[in-house]
Amino acid sequence: MSILGRHSKNDRDFRQISLLTTVPAILLAAPLIGYFIGWWLDGKLKTEPYMVTAGVLLGFVAAGFEIYHLVKKSAEIDKEKENDKKHTGS
């Protein structure tokens, strides 16, 4: 972030790249976390396949929501770039 509070073009590019490269990590981590929580609950509640299945499904749903929000942020960064191009004339 610059002194004036606006991001430079390179800052926005790196921000966008960092947002979008987290997608594979989210797709891996969220279902795994759901699996381990479900596995633990299955051990406590003696409901062998059900909590694991529910945990993995909830993990994928949570990953989907998070990816949706990341793509939305990335689109906002694109709009910022387009607005800057219009204002600078390049």
Side-chain angles (χ1 to χ4, degrees), residues 43-63:
K44 294 290 181 186
L45 302 174
K46 308 288 190 250
T47 56
E48 187 58 37
Y50 300 113
M51 292 298 156
V52 168
T53 304
V56 170
L57 289 175
L58 286 173
F60 277 117
V61 169

Side-chain angles (χ1 to χ4, degrees), residues 3-22:
I3 296 171
L4 299 175
R6 292 178 36 179
H7 293 281
S8 72
K9 181 184 180 302
N10 286 337
D11 288 345
R12 282 191 297 271
D13 289 342
F14 287 125
R15 233 174 64 201
Q16 192 171 26
I17 289 169
S18 67
L19 282 175
L20 295 177
T21 56
T22 59

Side-chain angles (χ1 to χ4, degrees), residues 22-39 51-67 70:
T22 59
V23 170
I26 291 170
L27 278 174
L28 180 67
L32 277 177
I33 291 169
Y35 171 81
F36 285 115
I37 291 173
W39 177 74
M51 292 298 156
V52 168
T53 304
V56 170
L57 289 175
L58 286 173
F60 277 117
V61 169
F65 278 118
E66 187 60 29
I67 290 168
L70 288 175

